[in-house]
Structures are given as structure tokens and as C-alpha cells.
Amino acid sequence: MPGPRTRELLPLTPERVGDLVGSCAPCTFWQTVPHNGHGRPTDPLELLAAWVEQVTADWGPPGRVAYVDGRAVGHVVVAPARHVPRLAAFPTSPSDPATLMLVTAVTGDPAGAVDGAGRGGKALRKVLVQAAAKEALNHRVRALDVVAARPLAVHRHACVLEAHLLEDAGFHVERDHPTYPRLRIDLRTLVTIRDEAAEAVRRALAKVPGVRPVPETHPNGSSHA
């Protein structure tokens, strides 16, 4: 019987650019804009490494790479809009260059490689989006935006996330569009929901005979159940 798997979610660094996964990796779609109708003749790995280094110096590591047993199985990229040139090509691009964008979340995980039950890709994608939200909270950002694609976007690039998947994850339409709406998730709401859920559990446990709720410690050091 195989032993437990090692799972890691590590910061995206220039050295880890070669571990990015997906059908078009290494991809520079979001990091570039068309130049006279053609892409610039730059090595994708070199360009991505330079982009990651630039964003890290200005803002911080622009994402995370997920590993299982040392093998990359997915990644998420998040960065301020000022570092995402391709946004200018979309009609719902944010006007504020400081807007934090979920650039993409890609899984290259074969079925079952993450949870052993054929749900690997879906579970991993959720973890990646949660990692992007956590990254935003670490920077004290109130919301996370993403330009997504609806079914009418017939030539959708693989790195543009599907709107319905994000809506299922709690994103809502911030600026609508038939093909490429911009969605947003309010991170303050996420924190509020988490805190309210924890309080509801404490209240429910308090009503169960013989169950003592976990003491709650206050900043002054005092505790009460």
C-alpha cells in the first residue's frame, strides 16, 4: 500500500516558472499584448521569469504552484492589474491599476492524483482559488477581480477562466459583458461568513448536554466558554 502523499503549495518564483502546468504552459498570454498582430519573439520561460521577478519586487510573489510528491500539478497566478498587460484587450478591464486580479488558475492533474478518488482537478482548482484569496488578504486587499469567459466567447484562450466555475466559487458579476464579464469576490464577506459560521457552531455546541465549548481567549488574556 502506497504511503501518504506529500502536498505543497509554494510561492511562484522565477525558478519555478518551468513547473507551470496546463495545455499551453509555459504561457505568456496575460503577460503580453499583441505586437503588430504577432507575439514578440521572446522565449516564454525567460519572459515569465522576468515578469515574476518584476512583480515580486513591486508587490510580492504573484501566485502559488501546487506539488504532489514533488511533481507540479497546478498553479494560480494573481497580480495587480498594472502588471497584467493583456487586460487592456478586454472591454471589462478595471480602470484602477491597483485592482488585484486573479489572472488564472490551471490544473494539469490527472484524475485522482490529488485526492485519489477522481476528483483531483476540481478539488485542486478550489484550493488554488482559495490560495489566491488568501494572498489578497495578506496584502489587505478588500476584493479579488477576474476577467472570465462566458459560453459565447467562442475563441476563449485556455488561460481565461470560465465564468460559471467562478460564480460557483462565490464570485459575482462586477461588470457584465456577453462574452468577457469581470467578476469579483468580496474578501471581507468571506471573513465575515467564516467568523459567523464559527460562532454558530459554538452556540450549537453550548446547547448540547455534556459538551463544553472551547474557551475563547480575548486580547487581554482572559478566557470564557
Coordinates of all heavy atoms in Angstrom, one line a residue, residues 6-79:
T6 N 2.9 13.7 -0.3 CA 3.4 15.0 0.1 C 2.8 16.0 -0.7 O 2.9 16.0 -2.0 CB 4.9 15.1 0.0 OG1 5.5 14.0 0.8 CG2 5.4 16.4 0.5
R7 N 2.1 17.0 -0.1 CA 1.4 18.0 -0.8 C 2.0 19.4 -0.4 O 2.1 19.6 0.8 CB -0.1 18.0 -0.6 CG -0.8 16.7 -1.1 CD -2.2 16.7 -0.6 NE -3.0 15.6 -1.1 CZ -3.0 14.4 -0.6 NH1 -2.3 14.1 0.5 NH2 -3.7 13.4 -1.2
E8 N 2.3 20.2 -1.4 CA 2.9 21.5 -1.1 C 2.3 22.6 -2.0 O 1.9 22.3 -3.1 CB 4.4 21.5 -1.3 CG 5.2 20.6 -0.4 CD 6.7 20.6 -0.6 OE1 7.0 20.1 -1.7 OE2 7.4 21.1 0.2
L9 N 2.2 23.8 -1.4 CA 1.7 24.9 -2.2 C 2.7 26.0 -2.0 O 2.8 26.7 -1.0 CB 0.3 25.4 -1.7 CG -0.5 26.2 -2.6 CD1 -0.8 25.5 -3.9 CD2 -1.8 26.6 -2.0
L10 N 3.6 26.2 -3.0 CA 4.8 27.0 -2.8 C 4.7 28.3 -3.6 O 4.0 28.3 -4.7 CB 6.1 26.2 -3.3 CG 6.3 24.9 -2.5 CD1 7.6 24.3 -3.0 CD2 6.4 25.2 -1.0
P11 N 5.3 29.4 -3.2 CA 5.2 30.6 -3.9 C 5.8 30.5 -5.4 O 6.7 29.7 -5.6 CB 6.1 31.6 -3.1 CG 6.2 31.0 -1.7 CD 6.1 29.5 -1.9
L12 N 5.2 31.2 -6.3 CA 5.7 31.3 -7.6 C 6.9 32.2 -7.7 O 6.9 33.4 -7.4 CB 4.6 31.8 -8.6 CG 5.0 32.0 -10.0 CD1 5.5 30.7 -10.7 CD2 3.8 32.6 -10.8
T13 N 8.0 31.6 -8.0 CA 9.3 32.3 -8.2 C 9.8 32.1 -9.6 O 9.4 31.2 -10.3 CB 10.3 31.7 -7.1 OG1 10.6 30.4 -7.5 CG2 9.8 31.8 -5.7
P14 N 10.8 32.9 -10.0 CA 11.4 32.7 -11.3 C 11.9 31.3 -11.5 O 11.9 30.8 -12.6 CB 12.6 33.7 -11.3 CG 12.1 34.8 -10.4 CD 11.4 34.1 -9.3
E15 N 12.4 30.7 -10.5 CA 13.0 29.3 -10.6 C 11.9 28.3 -10.8 O 12.2 27.2 -11.3 CB 13.8 29.0 -9.3 CG 15.0 29.8 -9.1 CD 14.7 31.2 -8.6 OE1 13.7 31.4 -8.0 OE2 15.6 32.1 -8.9
R16 N 10.6 28.6 -10.4 CA 9.5 27.6 -10.5 C 8.7 27.9 -11.8 O 7.7 27.2 -12.0 CB 8.7 27.7 -9.3 CG 9.4 27.2 -8.0 CD 8.4 27.0 -6.9 NE 9.2 26.5 -5.7 CZ 9.4 27.3 -4.6 NH1 9.0 28.5 -4.5 NH2 10.1 26.8 -3.6
V17 N 9.1 28.8 -12.6 CA 8.3 29.1 -13.8 C 8.2 27.9 -14.7 O 7.2 27.6 -15.3 CB 8.9 30.3 -14.6 CG1 8.4 30.4 -16.0 CG2 8.6 31.6 -13.8
G18 N 9.3 27.1 -14.7 CA 9.3 25.9 -15.6 C 8.4 24.8 -15.1 O 8.1 23.8 -15.8
D19 N 7.8 25.0 -13.9 CA 6.9 24.0 -13.3 C 5.5 24.3 -13.6 O 4.6 23.5 -13.2 CB 7.1 23.8 -11.8 CG 8.4 23.2 -11.4 OD1 9.1 22.6 -12.3 OD2 8.8 23.3 -10.3
L20 N 5.2 25.4 -14.2 CA 3.8 25.7 -14.6 C 3.2 24.7 -15.5 O 3.9 24.1 -16.4 CB 3.7 27.1 -15.2 CG 4.2 28.3 -14.4 CD1 4.0 29.6 -15.1 CD2 3.6 28.3 -13.0
V21 N 1.9 24.3 -15.2 CA 1.3 23.2 -15.9 C 0.2 23.8 -16.8 O -0.1 24.9 -16.9 CB 0.7 22.2 -14.9 CG1 1.8 21.7 -14.0 CG2 -0.4 22.8 -14.1
G22 N -0.5 22.8 -17.6 CA -1.6 23.2 -18.4 C -1.2 23.0 -19.9 O -0.1 22.8 -20.3
S23 N -2.3 23.0 -20.7 CA -2.1 22.7 -22.1 C -1.2 23.6 -22.9 O -0.6 23.3 -23.9 CB -3.5 22.6 -22.8 OG -4.2 23.8 -22.7
C24 N -1.2 24.9 -22.4 CA -0.4 25.9 -23.1 C 0.8 26.4 -22.3 O 1.5 27.4 -22.7 CB -1.3 27.1 -23.5 SG -2.0 27.9 -22.1
A25 N 1.2 25.7 -21.2 CA 2.3 26.1 -20.5 C 3.6 25.8 -21.2 O 3.7 24.7 -21.8 CB 2.3 25.5 -19.1
P26 N 4.6 26.7 -21.1 CA 4.6 28.0 -20.4 C 3.9 29.0 -21.3 O 4.1 29.1 -22.5 CB 6.1 28.3 -20.3 CG 6.7 27.6 -21.4 CD 6.0 26.4 -21.6
C27 N 3.0 29.7 -20.7 CA 2.1 30.6 -21.4 C 2.4 32.1 -21.0 O 2.5 32.4 -19.8 CB 0.6 30.3 -21.2 SG -0.5 31.4 -22.0
T28 N 2.4 33.0 -21.9 CA 2.6 34.4 -21.6 C 1.4 35.2 -22.1 O 1.6 36.4 -22.4 CB 3.9 34.9 -22.3 OG1 3.8 34.7 -23.8 CG2 5.1 34.2 -21.8
F29 N 0.2 34.6 -22.2 CA -0.9 35.3 -22.7 C -1.2 36.6 -21.9 O -1.4 37.6 -22.5 CB -2.1 34.4 -22.6 CG -3.4 35.0 -23.0 CD1 -3.8 35.2 -24.4 CD2 -4.4 35.4 -22.1 CE1 -4.9 35.9 -24.7 CE2 -5.6 36.0 -22.4 CZ -5.9 36.3 -23.8
W30 N -1.3 36.5 -20.6 CA -1.7 37.6 -19.8 C -0.5 38.6 -19.6 O -0.7 39.8 -19.3 CB -2.1 37.1 -18.4 CG -3.5 36.5 -18.4 CD1 -3.8 35.2 -18.2 CD2 -4.7 37.2 -18.6 NE1 -5.1 35.0 -18.3 CE2 -5.8 36.2 -18.5 CE3 -5.1 38.5 -18.8 CZ2 -7.1 36.5 -18.7 CZ3 -6.5 38.8 -19.0 CH2 -7.4 37.8 -18.9
Q31 N 0.7 38.1 -19.8 CA 1.9 39.0 -19.6 C 2.3 39.8 -20.8 O 3.2 40.6 -20.7 CB 3.1 38.1 -19.1 CG 2.9 37.5 -17.7 CD 2.0 36.3 -17.7 OE1 1.6 35.8 -18.7 NE2 1.6 35.9 -16.5
T32 N 1.6 39.6 -21.9 CA 2.0 40.3 -23.1 C 0.7 40.8 -23.8 O -0.4 40.5 -23.5 CB 2.7 39.3 -24.1 OG1 1.8 38.2 -24.4 CG2 4.0 38.8 -23.5
V33 N 1.0 41.7 -24.8 CA -0.1 42.2 -25.7 C 0.4 41.9 -27.1 O 1.6 41.9 -27.4 CB -0.4 43.7 -25.5 CG1 -1.0 43.8 -24.1 CG2 0.8 44.5 -25.6
P34 N -0.5 41.7 -28.1 CA -0.1 41.5 -29.5 C 0.7 42.7 -30.0 O 0.4 43.9 -29.7 CB -1.5 41.4 -30.2 CG -2.4 41.0 -29.2 CD -2.0 41.7 -27.9
H35 N 1.7 42.4 -30.7 CA 2.6 43.4 -31.3 C 2.5 43.4 -32.8 O 3.0 42.5 -33.5 CB 4.1 43.2 -30.9 CG 5.0 44.2 -31.4 ND1 5.0 45.5 -31.0 CD2 6.1 44.1 -32.2 CE1 5.9 46.2 -31.6 NE2 6.6 45.3 -32.4
N36 N 1.8 44.3 -33.4 CA 1.5 44.3 -34.8 C 0.9 43.0 -35.3 O 1.2 42.5 -36.4 CB 2.8 44.6 -35.6 CG 3.4 46.0 -35.3 OD1 2.6 46.9 -35.1 ND2 4.7 46.1 -35.4
G37 N 0.0 42.5 -34.4 CA -0.7 41.3 -34.8 C 0.0 40.0 -34.5 O -0.5 38.9 -34.7
H38 N 1.2 40.1 -33.9 CA 2.0 38.9 -33.6 C 2.6 39.1 -32.3 O 2.8 40.2 -31.7 CB 3.2 38.8 -34.7 CG 2.7 38.6 -36.1 ND1 2.1 37.4 -36.6 CD2 2.6 39.5 -37.1 CE1 1.8 37.6 -37.8 NE2 2.0 38.9 -38.2
G39 N 3.0 37.9 -31.7 CA 3.6 38.0 -30.4 C 5.1 38.3 -30.5 O 5.7 38.1 -31.6
R40 N 5.7 38.9 -29.5 CA 7.1 39.2 -29.5 C 7.9 37.9 -29.5 O 7.6 37.0 -28.8 CB 7.5 40.1 -28.3 CG 6.7 41.4 -28.3 CD 7.2 42.2 -27.1 NE 6.5 43.5 -27.0 CZ 6.8 44.6 -27.7 NH1 7.8 44.6 -28.5 NH2 6.1 45.7 -27.6
P41 N 9.0 37.8 -30.3 CA 9.8 36.6 -30.4 C 10.7 36.5 -29.2 O 11.9 36.5 -29.3 CB 10.6 36.8 -31.7 CG 10.7 38.3 -31.7 CD 9.4 38.9 -31.2
T42 N 10.1 36.3 -28.0 CA 10.8 36.1 -26.7 C 10.6 34.7 -26.2 O 9.4 34.2 -26.2 CB 10.4 37.2 -25.7 OG1 10.6 38.5 -26.3 CG2 11.3 37.1 -24.5
D43 N 11.6 34.1 -25.6 CA 11.4 32.8 -25.0 C 10.4 32.9 -23.9 O 10.6 33.7 -23.0 CB 12.8 32.3 -24.5 CG 12.6 30.9 -23.8 OD1 12.3 29.9 -24.5 OD2 12.8 30.9 -22.6
P44 N 9.3 32.1 -23.9 CA 8.3 32.2 -22.9 C 8.8 32.0 -21.4 O 8.4 32.8 -20.6 CB 7.3 31.1 -23.2 CG 7.5 30.8 -24.7 CD 9.0 31.0 -24.9
L45 N 9.7 31.1 -21.2 CA 10.2 30.9 -19.9 C 11.0 32.1 -19.4 O 10.9 32.5 -18.2 CB 11.1 29.6 -19.8 CG 10.3 28.3 -19.9 CD1 11.3 27.1 -19.9 CD2 9.4 28.1 -18.7
E46 N 11.8 32.6 -20.3 CA 12.6 33.8 -20.0 C 11.7 35.0 -19.7 O 11.9 35.7 -18.7 CB 13.6 34.1 -21.1 CG 14.5 35.3 -20.9 CD 15.4 35.6 -22.1 OE1 15.6 34.7 -22.8 OE2 15.8 36.8 -22.2
L47 N 10.7 35.2 -20.5 CA 9.8 36.3 -20.3 C 9.0 36.1 -19.0 O 8.8 37.1 -18.2 CB 8.8 36.4 -21.5 CG 7.9 37.7 -21.5 CD1 7.6 38.0 -23.0 CD2 6.6 37.5 -20.8
L48 N 8.5 34.9 -18.7 CA 7.7 34.7 -17.5 C 8.6 34.9 -16.2 O 8.2 35.5 -15.2 CB 7.1 33.3 -17.5 CG 5.9 33.1 -18.3 CD1 5.5 31.6 -18.4 CD2 4.7 33.9 -17.8
A49 N 9.8 34.4 -16.3 CA 10.7 34.5 -15.2 C 11.0 36.0 -14.9 O 11.0 36.4 -13.7 CB 12.0 33.8 -15.4
A50 N 11.2 36.8 -15.9 CA 11.4 38.2 -15.8 C 10.2 38.9 -15.2 O 10.2 39.8 -14.3 CB 11.8 38.9 -17.1
W51 N 9.0 38.5 -15.7 CA 7.7 39.0 -15.2 C 7.5 38.7 -13.7 O 7.2 39.6 -12.9 CB 6.6 38.5 -16.0 CG 5.2 39.0 -15.6 CD1 4.7 40.2 -16.0 CD2 4.3 38.4 -14.7 NE1 3.4 40.4 -15.4 CE2 3.2 39.3 -14.6 CE3 4.2 37.2 -14.0 CZ2 2.0 39.0 -13.9 CZ3 3.1 36.9 -13.3 CH2 2.0 37.8 -13.2
V52 N 7.8 37.5 -13.3 CA 7.6 37.1 -11.9 C 8.6 37.9 -11.0 O 8.2 38.3 -9.9 CB 7.9 35.6 -11.7 CG1 8.0 35.2 -10.3 CG2 6.8 34.8 -12.4
E53 N 9.8 38.1 -11.5 CA 10.8 38.8 -10.7 C 10.3 40.3 -10.6 O 10.5 40.9 -9.5 CB 12.1 38.7 -11.4 CG 13.3 39.4 -10.6 CD 14.6 39.2 -11.3 OE1 14.6 38.7 -12.4 OE2 15.6 39.5 -10.7
Q54 N 9.8 40.8 -11.6 CA 9.3 42.2 -11.6 C 8.2 42.4 -10.6 O 8.1 43.3 -9.8 CB 8.9 42.7 -13.0 CG 8.4 44.1 -13.0 CD 7.8 44.5 -14.4 OE1 7.6 43.6 -15.3 NE2 7.6 45.8 -14.6
V55 N 7.2 41.5 -10.7 CA 6.0 41.6 -9.8 C 6.4 41.4 -8.4 O 5.9 42.1 -7.5 CB 4.9 40.6 -10.2 CG1 3.7 40.7 -9.3 CG2 4.5 40.9 -11.7
T56 N 7.3 40.4 -8.2 CA 7.7 40.1 -6.8 C 8.4 41.3 -6.2 O 8.2 41.7 -5.0 CB 8.7 38.9 -6.8 OG1 8.0 37.8 -7.3 CG2 9.2 38.6 -5.4
A57 N 9.2 42.0 -6.9 CA 9.9 43.2 -6.4 C 9.0 44.3 -6.1 O 9.2 45.1 -5.1 CB 11.0 43.7 -7.4
D58 N 7.9 44.5 -6.9 CA 6.9 45.5 -6.7 C 5.8 45.2 -5.7 O 5.4 46.1 -4.9 CB 6.3 45.9 -8.0 CG 5.2 47.0 -7.9 OD1 5.5 48.1 -7.5 OD2 4.0 46.6 -8.2
W59 N 5.4 43.9 -5.7 CA 4.2 43.6 -4.9 C 4.4 42.3 -4.0 O 3.9 42.3 -2.9 CB 3.0 43.4 -5.9 CG 1.8 43.1 -5.2 CD1 0.9 43.9 -4.6 CD2 1.2 41.8 -5.2 NE1 -0.2 43.2 -4.1 CE2 -0.1 41.9 -4.5 CE3 1.5 40.5 -5.6 CZ2 -0.9 40.8 -4.2 CZ3 0.7 39.4 -5.4 CH2 -0.5 39.6 -4.7
G60 N 5.0 41.3 -4.6 CA 5.2 40.1 -3.9 C 5.1 38.9 -4.9 O 4.7 39.1 -6.0
P61 N 5.3 37.7 -4.4 CA 5.2 36.5 -5.3 C 3.8 36.5 -6.0 O 2.8 36.5 -5.3 CB 5.4 35.3 -4.4 CG 6.3 35.9 -3.3 CD 5.8 37.3 -3.1
P62 N 3.7 36.5 -7.3 CA 2.4 36.5 -8.0 C 1.7 35.2 -8.1 O 1.2 34.9 -9.2 CB 2.8 37.1 -9.4 CG 4.2 36.6 -9.6 CD 4.8 36.5 -8.3
G63 N 1.6 34.4 -7.1 CA 0.9 33.2 -7.2 C 1.5 32.1 -6.4 O 2.5 32.2 -5.6
R64 N 1.0 30.9 -6.6 CA 1.5 29.7 -6.0 C 1.5 28.5 -7.0 O 0.7 28.5 -7.9 CB 0.5 29.3 -4.8 CG 0.5 30.3 -3.6 CD 1.8 30.2 -2.9 NE 1.8 31.0 -1.7 CZ 2.2 32.3 -1.6 NH1 2.6 32.9 -2.8 NH2 2.2 32.9 -0.5
V65 N 2.4 27.5 -6.7 CA 2.5 26.3 -7.5 C 2.2 25.2 -6.6 O 2.8 25.1 -5.5 CB 3.8 26.1 -8.2 CG1 3.8 24.9 -9.1 CG2 4.2 27.4 -9.0
A66 N 1.3 24.3 -7.0 CA 0.9 23.1 -6.2 C 1.7 21.9 -6.6 O 1.9 21.6 -7.8 CB -0.6 22.8 -6.3
Y67 N 2.2 21.2 -5.6 CA 3.0 20.0 -5.9 C 2.5 18.8 -5.1 O 2.0 18.9 -4.0 CB 4.5 20.2 -5.5 CG 5.2 21.2 -6.2 CD1 5.2 22.6 -5.8 CD2 6.0 20.9 -7.3 CE1 5.9 23.6 -6.5 CE2 6.7 21.9 -8.0 CZ 6.7 23.2 -7.6 OH 7.3 24.2 -8.3
V68 N 2.5 17.6 -5.8 CA 2.2 16.4 -5.1 C 3.3 15.4 -5.3 O 3.7 15.1 -6.5 CB 0.9 15.8 -5.7 CG1 0.6 14.4 -5.1 CG2 -0.3 16.6 -5.4
D69 N 4.0 15.0 -4.2 CA 5.1 14.2 -4.3 C 6.2 14.8 -5.2 O 6.9 14.1 -5.9 CB 4.8 12.8 -4.8 CG 3.9 12.0 -3.8 OD1 3.9 12.3 -2.6 OD2 3.2 11.1 -4.3
G70 N 6.4 16.1 -5.1 CA 7.4 16.8 -5.8 C 7.1 17.1 -7.2 O 7.9 17.7 -7.9
R71 N 5.9 16.7 -7.7 CA 5.5 16.9 -9.1 C 4.5 18.0 -9.1 O 3.5 18.0 -8.4 CB 4.9 15.6 -9.7 CG 4.5 15.8 -11.1 CD 4.0 14.4 -11.7 NE 2.9 13.9 -10.9 CZ 1.6 14.2 -11.2 NH1 1.3 15.0 -12.2 NH2 0.7 13.6 -10.5
A72 N 4.7 19.0 -10.0 CA 3.8 20.1 -10.2 C 2.5 19.6 -10.8 O 2.5 18.9 -11.8 CB 4.4 21.2 -11.0
V73 N 1.3 20.0 -10.1 CA 0.0 19.6 -10.6 C -0.9 20.7 -10.9 O -2.1 20.5 -11.4 CB -0.6 18.6 -9.6 CG1 0.2 17.3 -9.5 CG2 -0.8 19.3 -8.2
G74 N -0.5 21.9 -10.6 CA -1.4 23.1 -10.8 C -0.7 24.4 -10.3 O 0.3 24.4 -9.6
H75 N -1.3 25.5 -10.8 CA -0.8 26.8 -10.3 C -1.9 27.8 -10.4 O -2.8 27.7 -11.1 CB 0.4 27.2 -11.1 CG 0.1 27.5 -12.6 ND1 0.2 26.6 -13.6 CD2 -0.3 28.7 -13.2 CE1 -0.1 27.1 -14.7 NE2 -0.4 28.4 -14.5
V76 N -1.7 28.9 -9.6 CA -2.6 30.0 -9.6 C -1.7 31.3 -9.7 O -0.6 31.3 -9.2 CB -3.5 30.1 -8.4 CG1 -2.6 30.2 -7.1 CG2 -4.5 31.2 -8.5
V77 N -2.1 32.2 -10.5 CA -1.4 33.5 -10.7 C -2.3 34.6 -10.3 O -3.5 34.7 -10.8 CB -1.0 33.6 -12.2 CG1 -0.2 35.0 -12.4 CG2 0.0 32.5 -12.6
V78 N -1.8 35.5 -9.5 CA -2.5 36.7 -9.0 C -1.6 37.9 -9.0 O -0.4 37.7 -8.6 CB -3.2 36.4 -7.6 CG1 -2.1 36.0 -6.6 CG2 -3.9 37.6 -7.2
A79 N -2.1 39.0 -9.5 CA -1.2 40.2 -9.6 C -2.0 41.5 -9.7 O -3.2 41.4 -10.2 CB -0.2 40.1 -10.7

